[in-house]
């Protein structure tokens, strides 16, 4: 019987489709710090879980999971400068980045986050390949006429006598509706883009003085030229159930005509200047403290901003597409191509090069595996492959607007299309989580609410308790607060810890199932696995759970997957309590009950494998089976399918746990 026929026989209802190959990426943490809980619990655990699922679902050789340390940019250079000045670090800037990169790698290993390669854009072989691909990528955009050389104003600190890089100036974001007080040179900490001259109340972090503006020349990508294609892409995304609404809604906000919001107190003065401004529409919005003027082109909007500023009229701009800056004059960066003779040597701005870093990391990984250089295209440029990019919602502008537009611009044909042809860079599937809050507040390592470091949480919880808790929060639907009891000053001694509570399904219920199955088999059957087919109802219940889990996983509904597991494991536990405690049970009845129970344990183990790899792989060890047990090609087969007759399980010592609680939790229980 063919594989297709077997699958058709096993699965009678339509199933979600998965690609032949896949790349999973996790947004890159900056190289200026260790990982706080938001990096791990807000994004990387989700990327890792999906990568692990795909390895089981389509084969581990067909999945590449890459991430890495974002090594360049002004936040890192400024962070290093301050630490050296304060006597907190000795060594070069590269030493500083390497130190943080190694700490980040170690943290991921503790949480069993398993990228095929956790690289670094500015270190080792990945640095060399990243620099080469950056040159190729930008040169291709230039050759295709997709770049503009634009003179803009850059902040200059007259007291210090230097131009200020992106993080050496701080002000208020000028984008309407944004309350960020962490506005930097041309972006705020919430990802909004604007021209530097529009930043409100700028202050130099070097001297505390108000900087002046001086002209500089940089290369920009013609992002606004891709508005129509991005709209087509968004229209397609709205029809796809696996794309979270936060993605296409956020992108849509930037695909509107450029607007300016002006306070009512300046309305009379505005009317006096209206005829001097480029053509625009005045939009009356009753009961609002401001009125809106809308322009056809961004250049007209910029000219209007200039006129308003010269006449002392306060305003804020709306979200819109602006030319995407590619270069800068910061020394710590990837060297930019010299597109013109005798041009000033520039470096690439960190945000653009971090967008294609996963491509260069894929190249680096494949080279390490002995593959040819161009084989990365099988993953990034093939209709048979998918790229899944896991990010936080603050970064949707970059991954959902700038990146796809630059990908579209790389098409060989003059006529660009949102339905990208095979062989060209395919548009990614963006999986954006909402904010993971800390004690009901947005946590940021650069803000007032300091989040705990990811490593520190392991002083109170096991990695799998934290993984299961974060996956169950439902961050794909809304922002949710992380409320660990040891960090919560408002928690009462009698209050339960939400992290511990979410882990009890494994540390109590599933653990008890596994131990009971092993101990009973050791006592009654000399540790020999029962070679009896599970009963039809057990097979049917497993099939229902597997198909439901698969459907939720295809939509990145991780919290729904945890619900499926919770229901399945608890029902299995109820079966165990009844089936193994019947009086006057014959050996045949016991064999059947144990066969059913081991089958339930196996199904739960497969579904848990992406989420809780430590405990499930310990289960694999004691079952004495190889990695085939995780493959979805044989997901409904009993354990005996992978073993010889009279297969003996590994002896399970008394009180052995597969999923345990943290030692501090036992101490707390004794104190209480």
């Amino acid at each position: 019987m063919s594989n297709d026929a077997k699958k058709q026989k096993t699965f009678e209802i339509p199933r979600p489709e998965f690609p032949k190959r896949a790349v999973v990426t996790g947004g890159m943490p900056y190289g200026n710090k260790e990982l706080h809980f938001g990096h791990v619990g807000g994004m990387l655990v989700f990327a890792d879980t999906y990568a692990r699922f795909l390895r089981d679902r389509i084969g581990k050789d067909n999945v590449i999971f890459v991430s890495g340390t974002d090594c360049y940019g002004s936040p890192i250079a400024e962070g290093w400068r301050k630490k050296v000045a304060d006597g907190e670090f000795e060594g070069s800037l590269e030493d500083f980045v390497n130190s943080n990169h190694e700490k980040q790698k170690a943290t991921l290993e503790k949480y069993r986050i398993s990228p095929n390669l956790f690289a670094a854009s500015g270190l080792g072989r990945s640095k060399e390949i990243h620099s080469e691909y950056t040159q190729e990528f930008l040169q291709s955009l230039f050759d295709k006429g997709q770049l503009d050389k634009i003179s803009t104003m850059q902040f200059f600190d007259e007291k210090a006598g230097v131009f200020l890089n992106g993080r050496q100036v701080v002000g208020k974001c000028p984008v309407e509706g944004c309350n960020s007080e962490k506005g930097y040179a041309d972006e705020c900490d919430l990802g909004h883009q604007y021209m530097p001259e529009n930043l409100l109340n700028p202050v130099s972090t070097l001297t505390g003085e108000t900087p002046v503006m001086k002209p500089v020349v940089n290369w920009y990508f013609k992002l606004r030229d891709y508005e129509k294609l991005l709209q087509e892409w968004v229209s397609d995304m709205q029809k796809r159930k696996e794309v979270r609404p936060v993605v296409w809604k956020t992108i849509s906000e930037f695909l509107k005509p450029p607007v300016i919001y002006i306070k009512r107190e300046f309305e009379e003065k505005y009317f006096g200047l209206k005829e001097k401004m480029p053509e625009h529409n005045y939009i009356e919005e009753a009961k609002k403290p401001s009125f809106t003027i809308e322009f056809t082109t961004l250049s007209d909007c910029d000219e209007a901003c200039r006129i308003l500023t010269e006449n002392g009229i306060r305003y804020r701009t709306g979200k819109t597409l602006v030319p995407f800056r590619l270069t800068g004059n910061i020394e710590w960066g990837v060297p930019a191509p010299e597109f013109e003779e005798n041009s000033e040597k520039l470096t690439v701005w960190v945000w653009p090069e971090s967008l294609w870093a996963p491509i260069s990391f894929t190249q680096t990984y494949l080279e390490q595996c002995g593959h040819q250089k161009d084989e990365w295209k099988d993953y990034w440029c093939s209709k048979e492959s998918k790229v899944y990019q896991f990010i936080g919602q603050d970064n949707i502008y970059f991954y959902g607007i700038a990146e796809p537009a630059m990908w579209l611009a790389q098409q060989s044909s003059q006529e660009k299309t949102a339905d990208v042809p095979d062989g060209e860079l395919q548009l990614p599937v963006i999986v954006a989580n909402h904010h993971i809050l800390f004690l009901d507040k947005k946590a940021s390592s650069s803000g007032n609410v300091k989040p705990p470091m990811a490593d520190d949480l392991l002083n109170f919880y096991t990695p799998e308790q934290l993984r299961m808790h974060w996956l169950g929060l439902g961050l794909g639907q809304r922002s949710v607060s992380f409320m660990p009891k040891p960090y919560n000053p408002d928690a009462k001694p009698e209050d339960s810890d939400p992290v511990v509570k979410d882990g009890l399904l494994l540390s109590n219920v599933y653990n008890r199932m596994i131990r009971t199955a092993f101990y009973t088999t050791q006592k009654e059957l000399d540790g020999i696995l029962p070679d009896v087919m599970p009963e039809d109802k057990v097979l049917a219940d497993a099939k229902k759970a597997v198909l439901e889990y698969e459907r939720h996983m295809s939509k990145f509904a991780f919290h729904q997957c945890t619900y499926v597991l919770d229901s399945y494991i608890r029902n299995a536990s109820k079966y165990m309590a009844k089936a193994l405690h019947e009086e006057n049970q014959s050996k045949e009845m016991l064999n059947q009950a144990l066969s059913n129970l081991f089958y339930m344990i196996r199904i739960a183990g497969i579904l848990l494998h992406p989420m809780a790899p430590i405990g499930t792989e310990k289960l694999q060890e004691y079952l004495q089976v190889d990695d085939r047990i995780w493959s979805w090609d044989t997901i409904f087969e009993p354990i005996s399918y992978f073993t010889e007759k009279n297969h003996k399980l590994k002896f399970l010592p008394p009180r052995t746990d597969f999923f345990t609680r943290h030692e501090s939790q036992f101490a707390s229980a004794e104190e209480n």
Side-chain angles (χ1 to χ4, degrees):
M1 187 181 292
S2 70
N3 287 336
D4 289 342
K6 287 180 181 177
K7 289 179 182 178
Q8 188 64 34
K9 182 179 178 181
T10 307
F11 300 99
E12 289 86 4
I13 65 175
R15 300 171 61 199
E17 293 184 2
F18 293 94
K20 184 177 178 181
R21 292 176 297 276
V23 174
V24 177
T25 76
M28 295 163 58
Y30 274 135
N32 61 341
K33 60 175 76 75
E34 299 173 40
L35 298 180
H36 64 68
F37 90 93
H39 293 126
V40 178
M43 181 269 296
L44 283 167
V45 159
F46 295 84
D48 180 67
T49 298
Y50 198 70
R52 287 178 177 275
F53 165 73
L54 286 178
R55 287 168 184 152
D56 293 345
R57 183 64 184 77
I58 66 174
K60 65 180 182 180
D61 292 339
N62 299 317
V63 180
I64 299 177
F65 172 25
V66 289
S67 185
T69 303
D70 202 353
C71 294
Y72 294 112
S74 57
I76 296 170
E78 184 66 5
W80 169 74
R81 184 191 67 80
K82 286 182 178 179
K83 284 189 177 293
V84 170
D86 294 342
E88 296 178 15
F89 187 82
E90 292 183 2
S92 68
L93 180 47
E94 188 167 322
D95 292 336
F96 176 65
V97 171
N98 185 63
S99 172
N100 288 318
H101 171 64
E102 291 300 325
K103 291 174 184 175
Q104 292 173 1
K105 279 179 64 177
T107 298
L108 298 187
E109 289 169 5
K110 292 173 187 175
Y111 279 90
R112 297 304 191 270
I113 292 170
S114 59
N116 294 78
L117 178 67
F118 187 74
S121 58
L123 300 171
R125 181 58 178 151
S126 57
K127 169 185 177 178
E128 297 170 353
I129 292 178
H130 182 58
S131 180
E132 291 170 8
Y133 187 70
T134 296
Q135 298 283 323
E136 294 172 15
F137 190 92
L138 292 181
Q139 189 65 53
S140 176
L141 288 180
F142 178 79
D143 294 343
K144 290 178 169 65
Q146 304 302 310
L147 303 187
D148 272 335
K149 186 169 67 172
I150 300 176
S151 176
T152 60
M153 305 301 286
Q154 184 171 338
F155 291 105
F156 185 84
D157 188 322
E158 292 186 308
K159 185 174 181 179
V162 295
F163 279 104
L164 300 176
N165 66 42
R167 293 298 173 105
Q168 289 176 331
V169 60
V170 180
K172 185 173 176 61
C173 178
V175 174
E176 177 67 15
C178 181
N179 296 317
S180 173
E181 299 289 341
K182 293 281 187 180
Y184 303 111
D186 53 8
E187 63 160 336
C188 75
D189 63 341
L190 298 180
H192 297 136
Q193 301 285 293
Y194 43 81
M195 301 308 281
E197 52 266 36
N198 292 335
L199 179 66
L200 304 176
N201 308 322
V203 174
S204 168
T205 62
L206 298 183
T207 63
E209 301 289 321
T210 300
V212 298
M213 302 295 292
K214 290 190 175 184
V216 294
V217 173
N218 274 300
W219 290 96
Y220 287 74
F221 171 63
K222 298 178 180 179
L223 180 57
R224 192 154 182 88
D225 289 359
Y226 292 85
E227 182 175 9
K228 184 174 181 296
L229 287 177
L230 289 173
Q231 287 172 338
E232 291 177 14
W233 187 44
V234 167
S235 179
D236 175 65
M237 278 196 283
Q238 289 177 267
K239 302 170 188 173
R240 290 160 49 192
K241 293 180 180 179
E242 78 274 18
V243 179
R244 294 171 175 171
V246 66
V247 175
W248 56 262
K249 285 182 179 179
T250 302
I251 296 173
S252 297
E253 291 175 3
F254 290 91
L255 303 180
K256 298 174 181 177
V259 296
I260 298 174
Y261 303 96
I262 304 174
K263 287 186 173 293
R264 291 285 177 192
E265 62 191 85
F266 296 105
E267 193 163 21
E268 185 176 342
K269 199 170 183 180
Y270 153 77
F271 280 119
L273 295 169
K274 183 178 180 181
E275 298 305 317
K276 298 180 181 179
M277 298 169 67
E279 186 177 344
H280 61 274
N281 294 325
Y282 171 89
I283 302 174
E284 175 61 52
E285 296 175 287
K287 299 182 181 180
K288 284 195 173 183
S290 62
F291 60 93
T292 305
I293 54 177
E294 180 183 279
F295 298 83
T296 303
T297 68
L298 185 61
S299 58
D300 285 348
C301 183
D302 289 341
E303 175 62 15
C305 288
R306 185 188 65 78
I307 294 171
L308 293 172
T309 300
E310 287 179 352
N311 287 274
I313 296 178
R314 291 169 57 193
Y315 62 88
R316 300 193 83 175
T317 54
K319 296 177 183 178
T320 190
L321 297 184
V322 298
F324 187 56
R325 181 166 67 89
L326 296 176
T327 63
N329 53 18
I330 180 174
E331 185 177 345
W332 180 244
V334 181
E338 295 184 32
F339 299 118
E340 298 175 343
E341 289 186 15
N342 302 319
S343 61
E344 182 182 351
K345 291 187 182 300
L346 300 171
T347 52
V348 182
W349 184 35
V350 63
W351 257 116
E353 50 97 352
S354 70
L355 296 176
W356 55 75
I359 297 178
S360 67
F361 292 170
T362 303
Q363 294 174 344
T364 305
Y365 170 70
L366 289 171
E367 181 185 87
Q368 288 179 358
C369 297
H371 293 277
Q372 297 299 312
K373 183 177 181 181
D374 283 350
E375 286 188 44
W376 68 271
K377 294 179 181 178
D378 293 340
Y379 290 86
W380 287 85
C381 303
S382 170
K383 289 283 191 185
E384 293 184 328
S385 184
K386 286 279 187 192
V387 175
Y388 302 94
Q389 297 193 307
F390 285 77
I391 62 171
Q393 71 176 98
D394 285 350
N395 294 333
I396 291 175
Y397 179 88
F398 298 102
Y399 288 91
I401 295 176
E403 177 187 297
M406 289 191 293
W407 270 220
L408 290 166
Q410 291 285 2
Q411 292 181 37
S412 301
S413 172
Q414 291 294 321
E415 293 296 323
K416 314 295 184 190
T417 172
D419 183 15
V420 182
D422 193 53
E424 306 279 6
L425 278 170
Q426 299 296 304
L427 298 183
V429 177
I430 299 171
V431 189
N433 273 348
H434 290 264
H435 299 301
I436 182 167
L437 308 175
F438 179 60
L439 304 180
D440 290 329
K441 294 181 176 63
K442 186 183 177 186
S444 168
S445 54
S446 59
N448 294 326
V449 181
K450 300 297 182 185
M453 292 295 103
D455 282 1
D456 293 342
L457 289 172
L458 297 176
N459 293 324
F460 303 98
Y461 306 104
T462 68
E464 298 204 322
Q465 285 180 316
L466 289 162
R467 286 176 68 109
M468 293 301 294
H469 178 69
W470 288 326
L471 289 166
L473 288 178
L475 290 173
Q477 296 183 318
R478 66 197 185 285
S479 295
V480 184
S481 193
F482 178 50
M483 305 286 286
K485 188 175 179 180
Y487 289 87
N488 186 356
D490 297 327
K492 299 179 176 62
E494 64 271 18
D495 292 344
S496 64
D497 188 322
V499 183
V500 175
K501 183 180 178 182
D502 283 352
L504 293 179
L505 176 70
L506 303 188
S507 62
N508 285 10
V509 185
Y510 192 43
N511 242 346
R512 187 165 56 245
M513 283 174 55
I514 300 171
R515 287 164 55 160
T516 300
F518 271 84
Y519 294 150
T520 304
T521 303
Q522 289 171 185
K523 179 182 178 183
E524 304 293 341
L525 304 177
D526 193 31
I528 303 298
L529 181 74
D531 191 9
V532 181
M533 277 300 294
E535 293 177 289
D536 288 345
K537 185 181 185 310
V538 174
L539 294 171
D541 289 344
K543 179 176 179 179
K544 181 176 181 294
V546 166
L547 294 180
E548 193 176 353
Y549 175 99
E550 182 188 49
R551 187 175 72 253
H552 292 315
M553 190 63 84
S554 72
K555 300 175 184 176
F556 317 107
F558 299 97
H559 66 297
Q560 297 283 13
C561 292
T562 65
Y563 297 161
V564 172
L565 276 160
D566 187 274
S567 176
Y568 185 74
I569 290 173
R570 292 188 188 281
N571 286 335
S573 179
K574 290 175 184 176
Y575 168 83
M576 177 190 74
K578 181 180 178 182
L580 292 186
H581 291 86
E582 290 189 6
E583 294 183 5
N584 302 319
Q585 198 172 41
S586 67
K587 185 173 182 180
E588 288 73 18
M589 291 174 64
L590 179 62
N591 273 345
Q592 186 64 68
L594 284 171
S595 174
N596 291 343
L597 181 56
F598 271 111
Y599 188 77
M600 295 171 183
I601 289 169
R602 159 169 159 68
I603 293 297
I606 293 174
L607 302 186
L608 270 171
H609 187 226
M611 301 178 172
I614 303 171
T616 51
E617 287 171 12
K618 184 174 181 179
L619 171 62
Q620 176 190 7
E621 175 192 346
Y622 277 85
L623 289 173
Q624 298 279 66
V625 291
D626 58 34
D627 285 347
R628 290 178 300 156
I629 195 172
W630 307 125
S631 173
W632 277 60
D633 291 341
T634 51
I635 193 168
F636 291 123
E637 300 293 349
I639 299 171
S640 58
Y641 179 85
F642 308 97
T643 67
E644 300 293 332
K645 196 169 181 64
N646 297 321
H647 177 71
K648 191 158 188 175
L649 305 172
K650 182 176 178 178
F651 179 77
L652 186 67
R655 303 185 63 81
T656 300
D657 283 323
F658 292 82
F659 303 90
T660 186
R661 294 163 63 182
H662 192 275
E663 57 187 16
S664 67
Q665 294 160 20
F666 295 109
S668 299
E670 290 172 4
E671 290 168 6
N672 291 334

